[in-house]
Amino acid sequence: MLKVLTPKWLKIERRPVPSGGVIFLVSIIAIVAALLVAAIFFAAYGVSPISAYRSIIGGALGNWSGISETLRRMIPLLLCGIGLTIAFRALFWNIGADGQLLLGAVAATGVALFSGLPGPLLLPAMFFAGFSAGALWGVIPAVLKVKLGINDVITTLMMNYIALYVVLWLIHGPWRGPSMRGYAYTDMFPPAARIPVIGQSHVHWPTLVLGIVLAVIMYIFLNRTRGGFEIRVVGENPHAARFSGISELKTIAIVMVLSGGLAGLAGVGEVAGVHYQLLDPTQISMGYGYTAIIVAWLARKNPLAVIITSFFFGVLMAGGDVIKVNLGLPFQLIHVFNGLIMFFLIGSELFMNYKISIRRQ
Amino acid sequence: MQKKILLTAVLAVVLIAGIAVIGAAKAYVPGTPITAGFIYVGPIGDYGWTHAHDVARQIVAKEFPWLKTVYVENVAAGDTVSTIDKLVNDKHCNVIFTTSFDFMNGTLAAAKKYPDVIFAHCSGFKRAPNMATYMADFYQVYYLNGLMAGALTKTNKIGYVGAFPIPELKRHISAFTIGVRTVNPNANVYVRWTEAWENPAAAKEATEALVAEGCDVFAFTQDSPTVVQVAAANGALSFSHYSPMYRFAPNNVISGELVHWDKIYADFLRKVYNGTYTAHNLQNVDYWWLLSQGAVEMGAKPGMPINPIFINKLKATIVDDPELGKISVYDLIQTRLDQMANPGITFDPFQGPVYDRKGKLEVPAGMWMSVNSLTSMQWAVKGIIGPWPGEP
C-alpha cells in the first residue's frame, strides 16, 4: 500500500521495534501539530492562540484549583487505563471500561447505603465490592469470546449500555433517595463511606495513591511474572499459547477480572470521592471509560506510562473548563480541541513504526 | 528508563499535592459594580430551560449599568465547585446563580468555601447564610392551560409527555388535570415519561404513542419543541413550554407556559446592590414566584395569552361552575387568571377539597396547600392515567 502511494524520492522503512525516544519524540511532534491546527480555531473566535494556550496551561496547572481538577480527572483515567493496558496486551478489545466503572459505582453505593457495616469497614468493603462488580461485568464478555467466539468489541461495548440502564433504573426506582424529594438520586453516603479529599478539592487522594501503586504492581505482574508472560503469549500468538498448554479461557478471564475490576475501582472513587451518591450515569462516568482507551493506547500498553498519559488527559479535561469559563468560548470547541489532539496522536502511529527519509541520488 | 519515569511521576504527584493555594474572595460592598456568574446545565441553545435563563441574564445585563454577567454552559454536576472556583478567582464574580437542581450539593459546598460570595440556587431546597434558593413555578399556568385543553379536546384524551416523575412535574400535571376536569369531567390525561429533560427522539416516540391512543391535545415538560411539532404533524393541539413555541405550529399551539426569570434576577441583584441581601442573611431567602410576581406568563408567545384562532371555541363552550354559575370557558380562564395574577390572590388550583386518584382526601375543603407540600407533592389527582413512580 505505502509503496504504491509513495513518490520515488521518499524512502520508507519499517522500524522493527520503535525505541522509547522515537515514541516520545513523535508523540510530542503530534501534540504540537494538533496545537497549531487548534490555534486556527482560537484565532477564528478572535482569541489570540498564545494567550489561549497560556490560560489553558495556567488554568490546569498554574494554581492549586487547576491542579486539583487535573488530578481529579486523572484518577479514573489512571485506574481504567491500567486495566485497559492489561486487556490490550492480551489483544482483548475491552471497550467496556465505562460500564465496568458504573457497576463498580453501583456496588460501592449498595455497600455504602444498605450494608449496615460499621464505619471503619465501610470504605474497604466498598472498594472490594466495586472491584468485584467491575470484574464480574468484565469477565462475562471474556467467557463469551473464548467459549462462543462472540466478538469482544461488540459485547463489551453493548454491556456499557446495560450498565447505564442498570444505574438509571436504580436511581429512578428502588434506590431513589427519600431525602431527594423525588429527584433521581440516591441518598447521600454517610461520612464514613466518603473517601478523604485534599482540602476542599475533589482530589480523593487514597484512590490516587491506590492507582499509582497498582500501576507499579501491574507493570511488575505483566513484565516479570509467569502470569504476565502468558497474557502476552495469548495476545501475540494464540497458537503458540495453545501448544504450550496455556489455557486461553483462564488467561483471558484473569485479564478481564483485572481490567474490569480496576475500572470498577474507578467507579468507587467517583461515587465515594466526588459525588457521595449515585446519580445520572453520564454524570458519574463522564466518558472516562472511553477516554481511558486512548490513555492506555497512548501509553503503548505500559501500565507505568499510564501514570503520565492519564495526567496529560487530566490536563486536557481541566483545560477544557478553562476554554469554557475563562475564555468564554463555546463548549463545543473543547471537543474540537481534544479531537484534534487524538487525531494527530493516532495519525502519528505511522511515523513511529516507519522511518521516513528522503532518498539522495 | 522505566524507573526514571516512575520516580518522576511519583515526585510530580507529591509536589503537586504539597501545593495548596486557595483563593480568597473579598466581601461585596453595596453600591459597587456587581459581576454575576450564571452556571447552566445545558447548552444555551436548548430552547427550553437553559435558553430561558440565558435570555433573562441578557435582560438584566442590559437593565443595570452596574452589572456585568458571565455564563458557563453545559456544566456537569461534579464540576460545580471547580466551575465556581474559576468564576470567583478568575472572573471575580460577587454573585453566582446555579440554575439546575443538579448543582445543589456543589453550590452548598462552594458557599462554605467562599463565605463572602453570594449564591442563589434554582429549584433546590438547601440554603445557607450566603446561599438563597429561587423558583418560578408554572402550576397556576398549567391549570389555566388545562381549562383550555378540556374544552378543546374532541376525543376526551389529553396527552402529557413528562421528563422525570419528580414533585415539580407531578404538581404541574395534577394542576393541569384539575383544569381539564373542571370544564370536562369526562376527559383524562394520559402520561408518558421520557426520563430526560431534552431527548427529542424519546419525546417524539412518546407523542406518537399517545396520538395512537387517541390523544388530540398535548402538554409536556421537555426542553425542546418536539412535542409541539409532532403533535401538529398529527393534527393535534399543544402548548408552549418555557420558551415561546408558537412559531413552530401557529395553527396548533393554543397557549402555553412562559417564564420570566429576569423578574427574579432583577429583584435579587437589586437587593444585593442596595445592601438588602448580604452574604450573611440569605438562610431564609426562598423565591417562589408565580403569576402575581410576573415571573410566569400564560401564553403561546409573549403578549398572546390565547391563540386567537381558538378564542371563539372557548367563548362558545359554556360550563356550569359550582362557584361562578354558567360561564364560558373563555371567561372562566380570564376570571381565574385575574384572581391569581393580581396581588391578594383569591384562587388556587389546589384549593380543597382535592382527592388523589386513589380516592384519598389530600386537601380538605377550604384549605390551600403550603409551598412545602406543593414542592414535595407525590400524589396524582383523579383523571391522570399512566405510571406514577413514588405514588403514595
Side-chain angles (χ1 to χ4, degrees), chain A residues 274-286:
Chain A
V274 177
H275 300 289
Y276 307 133
Q277 65 189 156
L278 195 68
L279 69 169
D280 189 87
T282 57
Q283 302 271 2
I284 301 169
S285 83
M286 305 284 294

Side-chain angles (χ1 to χ4, degrees), chain B residues 88-223:
Chain B
V88 172
N89 298 322
D90 302 338
K91 292 286 172 182
H92 310 291
C93 290
N94 324 94
V95 180
I96 289 172
F97 296 102
T98 54
T99 67
S100 168
F101 185 84
D102 283 341
F103 302 143
M104 182 167 70
N105 293 325
T107 310
L108 192 66
K112 283 192 186 125
K113 187 170 175 180
Y114 300 108
D116 288 327
V117 176
I118 292 171
F119 293 89
H121 173 239
C122 184
S123 79
F125 52 82
K126 291 184 182 169
R127 280 180 290 279
N130 60 333
M131 175 178 166
T133 47
Y134 64 98
M135 181 68 184
D137 198 78
F138 281 144
Y139 78 96
Q140 298 167 323
V141 185
Y142 268 107
Y143 163 81
L144 296 168
N145 288 338
L147 294 174
M148 303 173 205
L152 294 171
T153 176
K154 294 189 179 101
T155 59
N156 285 345
K157 288 181 177 178
I158 292 157
Y160 197 108
V161 180
F164 293 103
I166 56 173
E168 180 190 341
L169 272 77
K170 290 176 174 175
R171 171 173 78 243
H172 292 170
I173 299 170
S174 282
F176 181 74
T177 308
I178 289 172
V180 167
R181 286 269 186 143
T182 301
V183 300
N184 187 346
N186 298 320
N188 288 307
V189 175
Y190 292 74
V191 179
R192 294 267 172 142
W193 307 102
T194 61
E195 303 286 355
W197 292 114
E198 193 198 11
N199 184 343
K204 181 169 187 274
E205 208 172 289
T207 311
E208 282 171 347
L210 289 165
V211 166
E213 281 184 51
C215 296
D216 63 348
V217 182
F218 282 85
F220 61 93
T221 310
Q222 286 287 313
D223 287 343

Side-chain angles (χ1 to χ4, degrees), chain A residues 64 67 69 71-73 172 179 181-183 185 188 200 219 277 283 302 307-308 324-326 331, chain B residues 2 5 9 16 19 21 73-74 76-79 82 86 90-91 101-102 105 113 125 164 166-167 195:
Chain A
W64 169 241
I67 294 165
E69 276 309 292
L71 291 179
R72 168 165 85 85
R73 264 59 181 269
H172 284 287
S179 70
R181 304 218 181 165
Y183 284 91
Y185 299 81
M188 302 292 283
Q200 285 173 308
Y219 176 79
Q277 65 189 156
Q283 302 271 2
N302 178 343
I307 298 175
I308 295 162
K324 225 162 49 171
V325 186
N326 299 51
F331 71 93
Chain B
Q2 302 290 7
I5 294 175
I16 286 160
I19 308 166
V21 188
E73 53 181 337
N74 253 37
D79 299 343
S82 62
K86 293 193 184 65
D90 302 338
K91 292 286 172 182
F101 185 84
D102 283 341
N105 293 325
K113 187 170 175 180
F125 52 82
F164 293 103
I166 56 173
E195 303 286 355

Side-chain angles (χ1 to χ4, degrees), chain B residues 71 131 134 286 358 377:
Chain B
Y71 71 90
M131 175 178 166
Y134 64 98
D286 176 29
K358 290 179 170 167
M377 182 172 163

Side-chain angles (χ1 to χ4, degrees), chain A residues 230-253:
Chain A
E230 289 183 354
I231 288 171
R232 288 210 310 271
V233 176
V234 166
E236 282 158 23
N237 196 338
H239 290 289
R242 214 163 296 143
F243 282 122
S244 55
I246 299 172
S247 158
E248 197 189 357
L249 179 65
K250 194 181 133 197
T251 310
I252 297 285

Side-chain angles (χ1 to χ4, degrees), chain B residues 19 25 31 44 75 95 140 162 252 255 261 282:
Chain B
I19 308 166
I44 51 172
V75 175
V95 180
Q140 298 167 323
N252 297 69
S255 177
W261 291 111
L282 301 178

Side-chain angles (χ1 to χ4, degrees), chain A residues 7 14 25 34 111 184 263 306-307 312:
Chain A
R14 199 183 162 87
L25 194 71
V111 172
V306 172
I307 298 175
F312 174 68

